Amino acid sequence: MFNKSNEQNISESGGIYLRVEFSGAIIYVGVYFLIISSGIVGNSLVLISFVRFKEVRKVNNYYIFGLAIADIFTCLIAIPVAICNRLIISDLTCHAGTRPLFFLPAYMLTSVSTFLLFAITIDRYIAISRPLRYSHIMTRKKTKRIVLGV
């Protein structure tokens, strides 16, 4: 599936080429389009239900709300940038100075998701180990600060 005609020196030609054959790129983008679409729709439903229904706004669901926002940004920013970096050969995508910038959104958003999952773990630990004091320890205000701090 690798495009053998693109093995020339990019800095000499200055052009933009695909790393794979066009049909392979269509399949690659199509699969990721389905992933991005389902991610946006599913996480949008989470956000809508959190905002619309007051009974859903429990303390521990604020973490899920934050995860949904991070996932939407991942679908809108990190995945398309990674797709472009993976498929396109150019001076911009192959230069050692700019290449890490293409991975930066994915690293940042993955870190946000990881920290939110860690916060959920701590929240659940407190809920299990101190069930009678949980509502005093983990207030809505503290939870909002944690989510916004991440």
Side-chain angles (χ1 to χ4, degrees):
M1 195 183 266
F2 185 74
N3 194 351
K4 302 271 186 208
S5 64
N6 292 339
E7 292 180 359
Q8 57 186 307
N9 190 349
I10 299 302
S11 62
E12 291 175 5
S13 64
I16 296 175
Y17 303 97
L18 287 176
R19 289 184 194 272
V20 296
E21 296 293 330
F22 186 73
S23 60
I26 294 296
I27 293 169
Y28 189 80
V29 171
V31 169
Y32 272 105
F33 177 77
L34 292 173
I35 293 169
I36 291 170
S37 300
S38 62
I40 291 172
V41 169
N43 287 300
S44 295
L45 291 174
V46 170
L47 296 178
I48 290 168
S49 65
F50 186 84
V51 171
R52 189 165 181 211
F53 302 112
K54 202 167 203 160
E55 59 271 4
V56 175
R57 290 185 221 153
K58 296 179 182 174
V59 172
N60 55 348
N61 286 342
Y62 280 90
Y63 299 113
I64 305 300
F65 182 77
L67 274 172
I69 291 173
D71 287 347
I72 285 177
F73 280 126
T74 300
C75 290
L76 291 175
I77 299 170
I79 296 176
V81 169
I83 290 171
C84 289
N85 189 39
R86 180 73 180 133
L87 290 180
I88 296 173
I89 297 175
S90 71
D91 288 335
L92 184 65
T93 60
C94 294
H95 189 267
T98 59
R99 191 158 175 82
L101 296 177
F102 285 96
F103 295 107
L104 186 63
Y107 291 144
M108 288 175 49
L109 292 166
T110 303
S111 297
V112 168
S113 294
T114 303
F115 288 131
L116 284 169
L117 288 171
F118 181 69
I120 290 171
T121 304
I122 299 298
D123 178 75
R124 294 293 84 208
Y125 172 76
I126 293 170
I128 292 169
S129 65
R130 295 172 179 89
L132 300 176
R133 297 181 50 210
Y134 174 75
S135 60
H136 298 292
I137 297 171
M138 295 304 294
T139 62
R140 195 166 282 177
K141 187 175 181 180
K142 285 181 186 177
T143 304
K144 286 180 185 178
R145 283 184 188 168
I146 292 169
V147 171
L148 291 175
V150 171

